């Protein structure tokens, strides 16, 4: 990509900031930076969104119920609150699960809520919750029930945990609650943390039945959006690597309960599940490594890393064979798509890990990411894990009760002997190496945390990217400017995009979206004469 034709990122930044009043300006200035991969500058992340800015973020309830636990498909998820929260989290995330002979139950299609009314807000909703749990149990006879608190529940002080304890006694199944009121954190990120703690406390470690296969791993932070987990699973299976549990994508209660018996945790989305990885290591001795199955090169790298961990010649050979096979199929696709996509530019504003991961897919087909940012990631996701000690106050942590986790004297088991660890280190293997987004991006890339609609509009006007990866809240705004928008949360209706097979889907989709002639029919608003009827904005 001829970077000389790109605008000066510092000037774009100034242009974006200049309309803000001084307080907002001060805050937003810290959240907008020009990248330097060799020494990533400190970014203002995981802070409260300025009121009035249209944020892409979600709430803490969304991060807990929707993201981390929702995909467990054979337990019931009951939202305690007025109907809106349950309704809007009903099947909106495309975390797919399939009925299979060995997994006959799939409750994912259901939206369960206590549907609180005014009277419960005034007199308390605990009785209604207890009745709802009983009723749901009678109908579905699940293995476990999870209850989620929404904002009003926290405000009126319903004690969902004591209701769950009582129900557990009464029904004889596992029932547990999550205090994931939407306002608990500054975004869904706090919900991830709360969910990690709850899943770890109430499920992980309950079933001491290791799977018989060798090379057992858990894939953490993979939610099977559009079938990604299936693509990864298939790839790993080809290599002879066994997945005990995917947290949480197309996964059962029992799989979660026994995931502490795996040999290794591999982490896809660090943001949403690093807490779990750390706690499992402390209590059970399962080490973790960061992987990324988004992008061909990254998938190959991740497979090699898993093989390196197991130090098994046969496995290593098999992994190389599989990579060679997959790449042989993928290369012609890349070559073809490149003829139409090379030199094009992308911008991405997504969540807490995808804005980082998806740059590799664009890079595979010769495209450059010119601007990127997360919605709710923390500083380590931008700057790398080594900044963790310097993060003093975590905006979310104030409201989240940390679990006290220690090694379990009966279940802790070191996965490697000191000699094996030394051999691994001698070979350059490193655990917990997490570089973050900025170190893997071009110098001079514009980084914007928690981007606003005003900033996206300016970005389109000044950078004219060929595609933007974003979400439903801005998709149609972007497309009205004549720029295609690929939803990187739900994948629109597509996917999978993970692993080599998924990468092929993504390349073709991007090619189709960028090169369709339809965009020539759209005139962006700044090219039109101002409409006097509009008293604000650009008209
Ligand atoms: Fe992790 Mo949308 Fe998943 Fe990430 Fe997370 Fe969310 Fe999904 Fe997005 C998610 S867990 S729901 S990879 S909350 S697409 S951080 S914002 S980039």
């Amino acid at each position: 990509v001829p970077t000389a034709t790109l605008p000066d990122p510092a000037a774009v930044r100034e242009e974006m900031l200049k309309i803000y009043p001084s307080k907002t300006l001060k805050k937003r200035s810290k959240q907008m930076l020009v990248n330097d991969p060799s020494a990533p500058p400190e970014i203002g992340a995981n802070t409260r969104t300025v009121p009035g800015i249209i944020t892409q973020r979600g709430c803490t309830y969304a991060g807990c119920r929707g993201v981390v636990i929702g995909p467990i498909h054979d337990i019931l998820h009951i939202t305690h609150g007025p109907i809106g929260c349950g309704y809007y989290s009903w099947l909106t995330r495309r975390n797919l699960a399939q009925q299979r002979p060995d997994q006959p139950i799939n409750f994912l299609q259901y939206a369960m809520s206590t549907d609180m009314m005014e009277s419960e807000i005034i007199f308390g909703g605990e009785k209604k919750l207890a009745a709802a749990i009983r009723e749901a149990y009678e109908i579905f006879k699940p293995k476990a029930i999870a209850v989620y608190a929404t904002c009003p529940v926290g405000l009126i002080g319903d004690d969902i945990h004591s209701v769950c304890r009582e129900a557990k006694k009464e029904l004889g199944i596992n029932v547990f609650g999550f205090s994931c009121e939407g306002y608990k954190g500054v975004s869904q990120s706090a919900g991830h943390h709360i969910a990690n703690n709850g899943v770890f406390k109430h499920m992980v470690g309950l079933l001491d039945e290791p799977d018989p296969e060798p090379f057992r791993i858990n894939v953490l932070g993979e939610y099977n959006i559009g079938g990604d987990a299936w693509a990864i699973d298939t790839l790993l299976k080809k290599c002879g690597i066994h997945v005990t549990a995917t947290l949480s994508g197309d996964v059962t209660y029992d799989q979660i309960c026994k995931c502490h018996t795996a040999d290794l945790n591999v982490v896809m989305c660090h943001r949403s599940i690093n807490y779990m990885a750390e706690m499992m290591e402390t209590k059970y001795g399962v080490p973790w490594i960061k992987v990324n199955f988004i992008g061909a090169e990254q998938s190959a790298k991740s497979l090699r890393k898993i093989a390196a961990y197991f130090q098994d010649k046969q496995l290593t050979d098999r992994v190389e064979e599989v990579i060679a096979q997959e790449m042989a199929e993928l290369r012609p696709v890349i070559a073809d798509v490149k003829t139409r996509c090379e030199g094009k530019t992308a911008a991405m504003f997504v969540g807490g890990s995808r804005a980082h991961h998806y740059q590799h897919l664009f890079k595979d087909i010769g495209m450059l990411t010119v601007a990127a940012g997360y919605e709710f990631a923390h500083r380590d996701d931008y700057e790398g894990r080594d900044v963790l000690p310097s993060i003093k106050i975590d905006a979310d942590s104030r409201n989240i009760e940390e679990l006290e986790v220690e090694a379990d004297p009966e279940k802790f088991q070191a996965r490697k002997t000191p000699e094996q660890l030394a051999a691994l280190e001698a070979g350059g293997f490193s655990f917990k190496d997490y570089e973050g987004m900025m170190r893997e991006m071009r110098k001079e890339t514009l980084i914007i945390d928690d981007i606003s609609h005003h900033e996206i509009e300016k970005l389109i006007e000044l950078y004219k990217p060929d595609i933007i990866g974003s979400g439903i809240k801005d998709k149609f705004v972007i497309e009205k400017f004549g720029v295609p928008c690929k939803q990187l949360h739900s994948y629109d209706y597509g996917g999978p995009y993970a692993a080599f097979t998924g990468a092929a889907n993504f390349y073709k989709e991007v090619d189709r979206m960028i090169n369709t002639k339809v965009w020539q029919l759209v005139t962006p608003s700044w090219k039109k004469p101002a409409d006097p009827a509009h008293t604000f904005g650009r008209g």
Side-chain angles (χ1 to χ4, degrees):
V1 177
T3 48
T5 62
L6 295 174
D8 171 20
V12 174
R13 180 177 174 275
E14 288 308 311
E15 180 63 26
M16 286 174 176
L17 286 169
K18 79 178 186 204
I19 65 154
Y20 291 133
S22 60
K23 229 175 133 186
T24 310
L25 180 90
K26 200 170 155 217
K27 188 154 198 285
R28 290 302 296 154
S29 303
K30 294 183 193 150
Q31 292 174 275
M32 297 163 69
L33 302 171
V34 178
N35 189 41
D36 179 0
S38 59
E42 178 177 333
I43 191 160
N46 190 31
T47 56
R48 224 170 266 281
T49 299
V50 178
I53 282 184
I54 304 175
T55 176
Q56 303 171 321
R57 284 174 166 178
C59 69
T60 300
Y61 162 80
C64 180
R65 187 260 178 267
V67 173
V68 177
I69 319 185
I72 306 172
H73 62 73
D74 60 348
I75 69 174
L76 297 183
H77 305 278
I78 301 180
T79 298
H80 187 35
I83 195 63
C85 308
Y87 180 77
Y88 286 112
S89 54
W90 183 21
L91 293 179
T92 46
R93 187 160 165 264
R94 298 193 75 226
N95 41 254
L96 310 180
Q98 222 168 26
Q99 261 168 290
R100 301 196 293 263
D102 61 325
Q103 288 176 16
I105 300 165
N106 183 352
F107 295 135
L108 279 198
Q109 298 90 333
Y110 293 93
M112 297 189 186
S113 169
T114 51
D115 185 18
M116 285 172 96
M117 297 287 172
E118 248 175 84
S119 60
E120 282 97 36
I121 300 292
I122 296 164
F123 300 108
E126 291 177 12
K127 282 197 191 112
K128 195 168 192 188
L129 174 61
I133 296 173
R134 224 170 272 133
E135 186 186 336
Y137 177 75
E138 283 308 317
I139 300 170
F140 295 99
K141 296 276 171 354
K143 289 185 171 177
I145 296 177
V147 172
Y148 306 89
T150 58
C151 294
V153 171
L155 295 174
I156 65 171
D158 272 2
D159 183 354
I160 61 162
H161 303 286
S162 73
V163 175
C164 289
R165 269 194 303 274
E166 288 300 314
K168 188 174 176 175
K169 259 188 258 159
E170 183 188 316
L171 304 174
I173 60 160
N174 201 355
V175 185
F176 41 87
F178 295 86
S179 290
C180 55
E181 289 85 352
Y183 58 74
K184 270 272 170 89
V186 300
S187 69
Q188 52 267 64
S189 174
H192 302 149
H193 196 163
I194 292 165
N196 277 231
N197 289 356
V199 170
F200 188 75
K201 187 171 160 187
H202 297 290
M203 298 162 87
V204 175
L206 292 182
L207 193 61
D208 286 311
E209 284 175 16
D211 291 338
E213 291 85 350
F215 312 127
R216 294 180 297 252
I217 66 169
N218 299 310
V219 183
L220 301 190
E222 168 48 56
Y223 302 92
N224 202 30
I225 308 301
D228 274 356
W230 294 332
I232 296 169
D233 231 24
T234 308
L235 176 65
L236 291 168
K237 222 174 250 159
K238 271 189 201 163
C239 299
I241 299 161
H242 172 74
V243 176
T244 294
T246 300
L247 275 77
S248 311
D250 192 11
V251 71
T252 64
Y253 178 69
D254 286 348
Q255 282 178 295
I256 304 265
C257 291
K258 68 179 174 187
C259 72
H260 65 295
T261 62
D263 303 310
L264 173 72
N265 280 330
V266 306
V267 175
M268 276 287 288
C269 168
H270 177 269
R271 178 66 270 133
S272 61
I273 211 148
N274 66 87
Y275 323 93
M276 175 69 73
E278 291 288 340
M279 290 188 289
M280 279 177 75
E281 176 155 29
T282 307
K283 189 166 177 183
Y284 303 107
V286 190
W288 67 267
I289 56 172
K290 177 78 180 76
V291 294
N292 177 20
F293 285 102
I294 302 297
E297 239 178 72
Q298 292 293 313
S299 298
K301 200 172 143 194
S302 298
L303 285 179
R304 289 189 176 116
K305 195 163 175 187
I306 297 170
Y309 168 82
F310 285 109
Q311 295 175 301
D312 180 278
K313 170 88 172 68
Q314 231 181 334
L315 178 66
T316 308
D317 292 348
R318 181 74 194 132
V319 158
E320 289 306 329
E321 244 171 71
V322 170
I323 294 172
Q325 274 169 15
E326 299 279 340
M327 281 311 292
E329 275 176 47
L330 202 54
R331 242 175 249 123
V333 183
I334 295 181
D336 174 48
V337 170
K338 252 191 177 171
T339 60
R340 291 175 300 273
C341 292
E342 192 155 36
K344 306 263 184 199
T345 57
M348 255 181 298
F349 300 96
V350 208
S353 75
R354 293 194 169 169
H356 173 196
H357 288 167
Y358 276 74
Q359 303 191 19
H360 297 289
L361 272 173
F362 285 120
K363 206 168 136 206
D364 286 350
I365 50 172
M367 290 177 61
L368 179 70
T369 301
V370 292
Y374 297 123
E375 289 166 47
F376 53 77
H378 302 200
R379 276 185 59 201
D380 49 327
D381 304 294
Y382 283 105
E383 300 167 49
R385 216 180 140 72
D386 48 349
V387 305
L388 275 176
S390 66
I391 302 175
K392 287 174 208 84
I393 306 163
D394 186 316
D396 291 328
S397 310
R398 285 182 296 229
N399 298 326
I400 302 170
E401 207 186 311
E402 287 287 348
L403 289 184
E404 300 270 335
V405 181
E406 286 168 12
D408 183 325
E410 274 153 43
K411 297 187 182 180
F412 184 94
Q413 197 197 325
R415 297 319 200 250
K416 295 272 177 198
T417 63
E419 295 77 49
Q420 286 171 325
L421 282 176
L424 273 175
E425 257 163 51
F429 188 93
S430 59
F431 291 96
K432 304 187 181 185
D433 55 334
Y434 178 48
E435 298 281 355
M437 173 202 278
M438 286 156 118
R439 282 180 208 278
E440 294 199 336
M441 269 166 65
R442 188 185 60 98
K443 197 171 158 67
E444 301 283 287
T445 308
L446 185 60
I447 313 273
I448 307 175
D449 181 63
D450 189 19
I451 196 168
S452 71
H453 278 185
H454 156 68
E455 290 151 9
I456 279 212
E457 288 180 21
K458 278 280 166 210
L459 184 117
I460 294 172
E461 188 183 332
L462 300 169
Y463 271 101
K464 302 181 181 59
D466 294 293
I467 193 166
I468 294 181
S470 187
I472 192 67
K473 287 183 197 162
D474 24 45
K475 179 179 175 84
F476 299 105
V477 176
I478 292 166
E479 296 200 330
K480 281 175 187 170
F481 286 121
V483 176
C485 174
K486 181 70 198 162
Q487 287 196 69
L488 288 182
H489 304 258
S490 66
Y491 299 165
D492 297 302
Y493 313 98
Y497 297 140
F500 300 95
T501 44
N505 292 336
F506 191 80
Y507 306 149
K508 289 177 198 163
E509 178 81 351
V510 168
D511 179 18
R512 188 182 65 76
M513 290 181 79
I514 289 185
N515 293 305
T516 170
K517 293 191 173 64
V518 76
W519 306 115
Q520 294 161 12
L521 305 175
V522 184
T523 312
S525 56
W526 65 84
K527 286 191 182 161
K528 291 181 198 161
D531 178 352
H534 289 165
T535 52
F536 60 90
R538 193 173 291 113

